[in-house]
């Protein structure tokens, strides 16, 4: 299965064939050319905003780059076990490049979340996608996907974990809300906006174990 997985990752990382996922000069990945959803979450607020405003060519979410970091790390381990040492440098480059891109362009110091990154016509990042209130539009699970990717400083990880465990924000008695309950665009009757979905619970559960947060997991 390794060659097929490698091909899939290379396409996702913008390295293969006609892939347009890495068309922005920030190196952040986006898959809007292929699918409406970035993370399977239909009415996740910043995703809805991107499509409503026709910003698909210039806005990148966090989750796509975060998952490419994960797959690069897993494939690096596979390559080592299979004696495919020449492939490892490519995966390490993906991890380093995408990690730097997220930390440099997506981290929002004010909110302690990562944001959807808006780019100019030159493909360079201009800032975070924001709600009319001025709030980061990504106060939700996508904004915390740096934890799943395993990136960020100790302080950045601590701030993201604090959002995750706060009962007034992401944590609920039933699991993790896809959107922070204090976000100005949070809805109690949304589909992905304001509800708990199992798919991302699993990724964050795994991430919490990686971060030594066994009790929270």
């Amino acid at each position: 299965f390794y060659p097929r997985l490698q091909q899939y990752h290379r396409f996702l990382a913008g390295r293969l064939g006609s892939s347009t996922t890495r068309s922005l000069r920030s190196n952040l990945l986006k898959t809007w050319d292929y699918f409406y959803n970035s993370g399977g979450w239909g009415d996740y607020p910043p995703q809805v905003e991107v499509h409503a405003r026709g910003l698909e060519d210039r806005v990148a979410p966090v989750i796509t780059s975060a998952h490419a970091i994960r797959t690069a790390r897993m494939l690096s381990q596979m390559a080592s076990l299979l004696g495919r040492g020449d492939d490892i440098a490519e995966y390490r480059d993906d991890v380093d490049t995408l990690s730097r891109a997220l930390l440099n362009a997506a981290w929002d110091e004010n909110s302690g979340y990562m944001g959807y990154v808006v780019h100019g016509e030159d493909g360079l990042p201009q800032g975070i996608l924001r709600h009319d209130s001025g709030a980061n539009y990504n106060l939700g699970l996508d904004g915390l996907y740096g934890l799943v990717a395993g990136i960020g400083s100790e302080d950045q990880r601590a701030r993201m974990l604090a959002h995750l465990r706060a009962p007034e924000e992401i944590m609920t008695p039933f699991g993790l809300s896809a959107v922070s309950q204090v976000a100005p665009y949070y809805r109690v009757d949304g589909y992905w906006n304001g509800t708990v979905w199992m798919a991302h619970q699993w990724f964050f559960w795994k991430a919490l174990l990686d971060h030594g947060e066994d009790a929270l997991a």
Side-chain angles (χ1 to χ4, degrees):
F1 293 103
Y2 174 83
R4 299 178 204 176
L5 292 171
Q6 182 184 51
Q7 178 174 324
Y8 192 99
H9 169 79
R10 283 175 167 170
F11 190 90
L12 179 64
R15 288 185 176 271
L16 186 70
S18 62
S19 174
T20 62
T21 61
R22 203 186 298 201
S23 60
L24 299 169
R25 292 171 64 188
S26 66
N27 287 311
L28 291 171
L29 305 178
K30 58 181 181 61
T31 54
W32 308 128
D33 289 350
Y34 305 104
F35 195 50
Y36 176 90
N37 277 304
S38 62
W41 33 38
D43 65 341
Y44 186 72
Q47 178 171 274
V48 171
E49 185 72 3
V50 164
H51 293 300
R53 292 171 54 188
L55 300 175
E56 294 90 347
D57 64 332
R58 64 183 61 196
V59 175
V62 175
I63 190 171
T64 311
S65 298
H67 271 300
I69 291 169
R70 284 174 47 81
T71 55
R73 285 178 172 153
M74 288 186 279
L75 283 164
S76 180
Q77 293 175 338
M78 295 178 193
S80 178
L81 290 169
L82 294 171
R84 300 282 294 266
D86 292 344
D87 295 340
I88 295 175
E90 178 183 310
Y91 301 136
R92 287 178 177 168
D93 180 69
D94 284 339
V95 170
D96 292 344
T97 298
L98 296 172
S99 297
R100 284 197 307 271
L102 283 173
L103 293 172
N104 290 339
W107 176 253
D108 180 21
E109 183 63 26
N110 184 55
S111 68
Y113 283 83
M114 291 186 173
Y116 272 40
V117 179
V118 181
H119 297 71
E121 293 184 2
D122 58 1
L124 293 173
Q126 291 183 326
I128 301 296
L129 183 68
R130 296 193 178 276
H131 182 256
D132 290 341
S133 65
N136 184 336
Y137 229 133
N138 203 23
L139 303 181
L141 293 185
D142 183 275
L144 301 177
Y145 247 88
L147 290 171
V148 178
I151 63 173
S153 67
E154 184 175 341
D155 178 68
Q156 288 170 327
R157 292 194 298 270
R159 292 184 68 188
M160 289 188 283
L161 284 167
H163 292 307
L164 199 67
R165 60 163 50 93
E168 70 276 13
E169 293 192 55
I170 300 296
M171 186 61 70
T172 79
F174 320 104
L176 305 177
S177 171
V179 177
S180 171
Q181 299 164 88
V182 300
Y185 38 80
Y186 170 82
R187 292 180 55 172
V188 297
D189 60 348
Y191 182 52
W192 274 92
N193 184 356
T195 50
V196 173
W197 285 79
M198 191 62 191
H200 293 281
Q201 310 292 299
W202 187 87
F203 284 113
F204 277 92
W205 171 68
K206 292 285 288 183
L208 289 171
L209 296 178
D210 290 341
H211 290 287
E213 294 283 346
D214 297 27
L216 184 56

